[in-house]
């Protein structure tokens, strides 16, 4: 039997993600939204792309949580996206309510699923899902680091006229203005970028990465990024569904790693069939540790506002 993946929220991120999963052809997909008929319409449209693209993925659109039963993975993308001038944190309360409701329903029908949270503000929403689900931390993951890292890699590749495939990087910390791109560990075909670019140019690229989401929000005028966010969520799904044990930065509920506790923060994580299989602790330099702590403090502030 094929695996089953549910995507909650059939908006820009959700529906693009469903399309990407469908093209993988390794799991059936349920797309849930509260808007009547809309997910059904989008699902039918995607289903009809199957013969052309050659996938047999069964795609079901629904407004009924019963259809999501026994999902192996559930991705939560439901919520309001950022508007221009709005920070991720402004979304906080609105999206807390949505993520709580969704998690409650999902858990009722799929008690053994692995949750991947995409809704912003990411780290805080992952914490909401963890608390409401009562799941162990291995089964509640937040998608942010892959996206932030991918943005960083894009800019580095552009700068050096290199292939994105040759650029390796890590962005740690919360998904916000305090994220910590580890330029020291960024390499192009094994060569550290600190040997390829002057420090101030790297700092500019780091800053552009921090503002990566806002830059797109401003350009779009209405709505936020969804092509790269959905691709990033797909990479996490790939590693879980195919049990690939890939290591990628994800928002994880830390239990003492990196000196942080009871908080979702982006760190390198090994993902496999069980969800989180290992938190990878890289040795940080003093200033990096300070930055990570600052980022964690920003997440903590949000969580305190939520009262969880
Ligand atoms: N249950 C299910 N779906 C809901 C609910 C709910 N309670 N509330 C809203 N939705 C749905 C909306 O109907 C909409 O279709 O969530 C979808 C959100 O889609 P978009 O508005 O297109 O937002 P999108 O760009 O996909 O972003 C979703 O991901 O990257 C983050 O910051 C982004 O938090 C935002 C989320």
């Amino acid at each position: 039997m094929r695996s089953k993946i549910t995507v909650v929220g059939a908006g820009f991120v959700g529906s693009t993600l469903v399309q990407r999963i469908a093209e993988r052809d390794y799991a059936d997909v349920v797309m849930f939204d509260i808007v009547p008929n809309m997910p059904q319409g989008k699902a039918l449209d995607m289903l009809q792309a199957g013969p052309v693209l050659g996938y047999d993925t069964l795609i079901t659109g629904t407004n009924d949580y019963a259809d999501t039963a026994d999902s192996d993975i559930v991705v939560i993308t439901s919520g309001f996206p950022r508007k221009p001038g709005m920070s991720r944190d402004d979304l906080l309360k609105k999206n807390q309510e949505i993520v709580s409701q969704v998690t409650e329903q999902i858990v009722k029908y799929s008690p053994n699923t692995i949750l991947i949270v995409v809704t912003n503000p990411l780290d805080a929403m992952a914490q909401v899902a963890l608390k409401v689900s009562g799941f162990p931390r291995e089964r509640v993951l937040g998608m942010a680091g892959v996206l932030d890292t991918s943005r960083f890699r894009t800019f580095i590749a552009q700068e050096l006229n290199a292939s994105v495939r040759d650029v390796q990087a890590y962005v740690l910390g919360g998904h916000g203005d305090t994220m910590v791109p580890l330029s020291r560990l960024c390499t192009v075909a094994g060569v550290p970028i600190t040997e390829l670019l002057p420090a101030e140019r790297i700092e500019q690229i780091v800053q552009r990465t921090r503002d990566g989401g806002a830059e797109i929000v401003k350009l779009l005028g209405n709505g936020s990024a969804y092509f790269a966010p959905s691709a990033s969520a797909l990479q996490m799904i790939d590693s879980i569904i195919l049990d690939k044990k890939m290591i990628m930065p994800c928002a994880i509920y830390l239990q003492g790693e990196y000196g942080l506790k009871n908080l979702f923060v982006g760190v390198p994580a090994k993902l496999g069939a069980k969800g989180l299989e290992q938190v990878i602790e890289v040795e940080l330099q003093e200033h990096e540790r300070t930055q990570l702590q600052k980022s964690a403090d920003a997440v903590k502030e949000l969580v305190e506002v939520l009262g969880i």
Side-chain angles (χ1 to χ4, degrees):
M1 210 172 77
R2 277 178 176 247
S3 302
K4 179 172 175 177
I5 301 171
T6 287
V7 177
V8 181
F12 283 101
V13 177
S15 62
T16 312
L17 175 60
V18 172
Q19 182 191 10
R20 293 192 192 285
I21 299 168
E23 290 177 14
R24 280 289 199 260
D25 208 8
Y26 56 31
D28 290 331
V29 199
V30 174
M31 178 163 46
F32 176 96
D33 204 286
I34 39 164
V35 178
N37 299 325
M38 182 270 278
Q40 290 85 337
K42 288 191 181 180
L44 197 55
D45 191 9
M46 286 184 210
L47 205 56
Q48 292 165 1
V52 182
L53 295 173
Y55 57 74
D56 291 298
T57 308
L58 182 64
I59 308 156
T60 310
T62 186
N63 310 112
D64 182 355
Y65 276 104
D67 291 326
T68 70
D70 301 319
S71 294
D72 298 287
I73 298 178
V74 176
V75 186
I76 302 178
T77 76
S78 49
F80 294 97
R82 266 199 293 177
K83 305 242 159 62
M86 197 180 185
S87 82
R88 284 194 186 89
D89 307 350
D90 296 334
L91 291 174
L92 192 62
K93 285 272 174 191
K94 277 185 170 181
N95 284 350
Q96 178 182 20
E97 213 180 290
I98 295 176
V99 170
S100 299
Q101 283 170 3
V102 167
T103 305
E104 227 168 79
Q105 292 301 315
I106 284 299
V107 165
K108 204 158 90 187
Y109 290 99
S110 299
N112 300 314
T113 196
I114 294 169
L115 291 172
I116 299 177
V117 180
V118 176
T119 306
N120 275 315
L122 190 273
D123 308 273
M125 291 306 115
Q127 192 121 348
V128 170
L130 182 90
K131 289 281 139 90
V132 174
S133 65
F135 282 3
R137 70 162 181 167
E138 285 72 19
R139 293 198 281 123
V140 184
L141 315 167
M143 188 296 290
V146 180
L147 173 61
D148 295 330
T149 304
S150 188
R151 285 181 172 149
F152 193 47
R153 291 171 64 197
T154 304
F155 299 143
I156 295 287
Q158 264 186 347
E159 181 73 18
L160 293 170
N161 196 22
S163 165
V164 290
R165 283 182 182 263
D166 286 334
V167 183
Q168 281 278 352
Y170 268 123
V171 176
L172 306 188
H175 186 48
D177 309 330
T178 57
M179 66 178 81
V180 188
L182 289 184
S183 20
R184 184 174 57 90
L185 298 181
C186 176
T187 56
V188 180
V191 182
I193 55 158
T194 44
E195 288 174 24
L196 298 169
L197 286 170
E200 78 256 28
R201 187 66 194 127
I202 295 174
E203 193 40 51
Q204 285 167 351
I205 293 172
V206 162
Q207 195 50 46
R208 190 172 178 200
T209 304
R210 287 208 180 97
D211 298 336
E215 185 179 358
I216 291 170
V217 166
K218 205 164 148 215
L219 288 168
L220 293 180
N222 186 13
S224 53
Y226 54 99
F227 290 114
S230 55
S232 304
L234 184 73
Q235 181 167 295
M236 295 172 70
I237 295 171
D238 278 352
S239 196
I240 296 168
I241 290 287
L242 303 173
D243 195 21
K244 283 172 82 78
K245 323 272 190 206
M246 289 164 72
I247 294 171
M248 60 190 90
C250 303
I252 301 293
Y253 192 65
L254 296 182
Q255 291 292 290
E257 299 90 351
Y258 291 94
L260 301 168
K261 212 166 175 200
N262 299 339
L263 201 65
F264 271 87
V265 176
V267 295
K270 185 187 279 182
L271 302 189
K274 297 192 186 81
L276 169 69
E277 301 201 345
Q278 193 187 346
V279 173
I280 311 295
E281 282 198 82
V282 290
E283 197 60 49
L284 295 185
Q285 292 181 348
E286 196 51 41
H287 72 282
E288 294 164 345
R289 199 167 275 282
T290 309
Q291 279 184 49
L292 188 64
Q293 183 62 52
K294 212 172 115 202
S295 186
D297 289 344
V299 176
K300 201 167 180 184
E301 245 173 64
L302 291 189
V303 171
E304 275 163 9
V305 174
L306 294 178
I308 54 169

